């Protein structure tokens, strides 16, 4: 039974998250230009969300990990990403999930994927500055509002941590290889959608993945249908913001409606086109299928090692 069903985030927390993100994005845009905006988003993801779901110490460690990983991406041969960066980030997520039970390094993974997709080797450092300043602001806001460590930890144990590490490492390599077959600036959505599955508590990965897939497909379908209407782009932007706000409020409910609202909102706000709706639908199906398959493999491995069936 889904214990989170019916729960919602209070509006004041939704407003705090949105205000923090808005200030960080606008400040980065004003100080450094559009190139820094993805850095601001990534910074708030770690600073605010990481501290809220973990704590300030883990958030600081996550910022360092993301900074090192992103630097290695653009100062080393491509193979370093596959054999060093991805396994290292996956190991941090697995260690935290198994031993501590918070989810700070999952947000670090989200941030790294965003920076990896947006950073340029010959950049002037604006992206990094936007990221660091926004992360610091996010941590500060979390502490000032008393939102640090509000999510109860759910440690899964050593095998669960290993399963997260192995599944994440293998899955990200596969997803990034598949992403190379697609054109467009938003192919990193596949990696984000796959990594999102590791935010789930132990024992809920398959159910969460399927709910996410159903909701995302519905959201992309509804968005694609509405985008065929003769409405101005501003109307879709307003609809997208409203959808994401409602999706954020319903986040604890772990319902397909949450993924549906956020998926539709992302399409309306970031890429209001039927092509982007179709791609997001495809990305959700690919990421979910891989997550479910890997979860099944790890369950079978646990059964073999323990001699007990995994429910």
């Amino acid at each position: 039974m889904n214990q989170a069903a019916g729960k919602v985030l209070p509006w004041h927390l939704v407003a705090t998250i949105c205000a923090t993100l808005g200030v960080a994005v606008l400040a980065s845009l004003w100080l450094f230009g559009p190139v820094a905006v993805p850095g601001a988003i990534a910074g708030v993801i770690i600073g605010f969300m990481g501290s809220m779901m973990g704590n300030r110490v883990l958030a600081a460690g996550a910022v360092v990990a993301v900074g090192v990983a992103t630097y290695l991406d653009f100062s080393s041969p491509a193979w370093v990403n596959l054999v060093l960066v991805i396994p290292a980030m996956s190991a941090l997520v697995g260690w935290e999930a198994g031993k501590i039970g918070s989810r700070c390094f999952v947000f670090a993974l989200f941030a790294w994927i965003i920076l990896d997709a947006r950073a340029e080797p010959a950049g002037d450092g604006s992206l990094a500055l936007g990221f660091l300043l926004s992360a610091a602001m996010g941590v500060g806001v979390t502490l000032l509002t008393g939102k640090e460590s509000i999510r109860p930890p759910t440690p899964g144990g050593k095998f669960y941590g290993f399963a997260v590490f192995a599944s994440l490492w293998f899955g990200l390599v596969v997803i990034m290889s598949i992403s190379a077959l697609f054109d467009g600036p938003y192919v990193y959505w596949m990696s984000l959608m796959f990594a999102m599955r590791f935010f789930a508590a132990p024992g809920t990965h398959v159910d969460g993945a399927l709910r996410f897939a159903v909701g995302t497909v519905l959201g992309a379908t509804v968005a694609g249908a509405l985008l065929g209407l003769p409405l101005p782009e501003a109307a879709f932007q307003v609809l997208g913001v409203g959808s994401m706000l409602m999706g954020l409020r319903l986040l604890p409910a772990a319902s397909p409606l949450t993924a549906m609202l956020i998926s539709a909102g992302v399409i309306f706000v970031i890429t209001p086109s039927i092509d982007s709706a179709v791609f997001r639908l495809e990305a959700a199906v690919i990421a979910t299928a891989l997550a479910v398959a890997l979860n099944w493999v790890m369950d079978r491995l646990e059964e073999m090692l323990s001699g007990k069936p995994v429910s």
Side-chain angles (χ1 to χ4, degrees):
M1 183 176 180
N2 183 10
Q3 298 299 323
K7 295 182 179 179
V8 296
L9 292 180
W11 277 117
H12 68 82
L13 180 55
V14 174
T16 301
I17 295 171
C18 293
T20 304
L21 184 60
V23 171
V25 167
L26 291 175
S28 296
L29 185 64
W30 180 65
L31 291 171
F32 310 116
V35 70
V37 169
I41 295 172
V44 171
I45 285 174
I46 289 185
F48 189 95
M49 302 300 292
S51 297
M52 189 170 70
M53 299 298 183
N55 57 54
R56 71 191 81 176
V57 176
L58 287 172
V63 169
V64 173
V66 171
V68 172
T70 305
Y71 173 77
L72 288 174
D73 281 348
F74 294 98
S75 62
S76 307
W79 59 266
V80 173
N81 197 24
L82 298 177
V83 303
L84 181 60
V85 176
I86 291 177
M89 294 297 290
S90 300
L92 288 171
V93 174
W95 165 78
E96 183 186 22
K99 187 174 181 63
I100 300 176
S102 54
R103 295 296 183 268
C104 186
F105 281 100
V106 180
F107 287 110
L109 188 62
F110 294 169
W112 171 69
I113 291 170
I114 293 171
L115 293 178
D116 179 66
R118 291 309 195 188
E120 297 180 4
D124 61 358
S126 296
L127 186 72
L129 287 171
F131 167 68
L132 292 172
L133 292 176
S134 298
M137 186 185 76
V139 173
V141 172
T142 309
L143 298 179
L144 287 173
T145 56
K147 301 302 181 185
E148 183 183 18
S149 304
I150 66 173
R151 181 185 187 274
T154 54
K158 289 183 179 180
F159 185 86
Y160 177 73
F162 170 77
V164 167
F165 158 66
S167 301
L168 193 51
W169 181 6
F170 179 80
L172 282 175
V173 171
V174 172
I175 286 289
M176 289 185 175
S177 299
I178 294 174
S179 298
L181 302 176
F182 291 82
D183 294 323
Y186 297 105
V187 292
Y188 67 93
W189 280 354
M190 285 190 192
S191 297
L192 287 175
M193 289 180 179
F194 176 74
M196 199 174 296
R197 295 303 86 231
F198 295 88
F199 184 75
T204 66
H205 283 249
V206 172
D207 289 345
L210 294 176
R211 284 194 299 269
F212 171 79
V214 170
T216 300
V217 168
L218 287 174
T221 302
V222 171
L226 292 177
L227 285 167
L229 298 176
L231 297 175
E233 185 172 330
F236 290 120
Q237 296 282 331
V238 172
L239 181 60
V241 171
S243 296
M244 286 195 287
L245 286 174
M246 285 304 302
L248 183 61
R249 176 166 164 77
L250 294 174
L251 202 58
S255 146
L257 182 59
T258 304
M260 175 181 170
L261 290 167
I262 293 177
S263 178
V266 167
I267 293 169
F268 287 139
V269 172
I270 299 179
T271 54
S273 70
I274 295 177
D275 286 344
S276 70
V278 172
F279 176 73
R280 191 164 178 83
L281 186 154
E282 294 172 343
V285 171
I286 292 171
T288 300
L290 182 59
V292 171
L294 288 173
N295 188 85
W296 183 87
V297 170
M298 298 312 297
D299 281 351
R300 301 293 78 75
L301 180 58
E302 185 176 4
E303 286 181 359
M304 291 173 59
L305 294 176
S306 66
K308 299 178 181 179
V310 177
S311 58

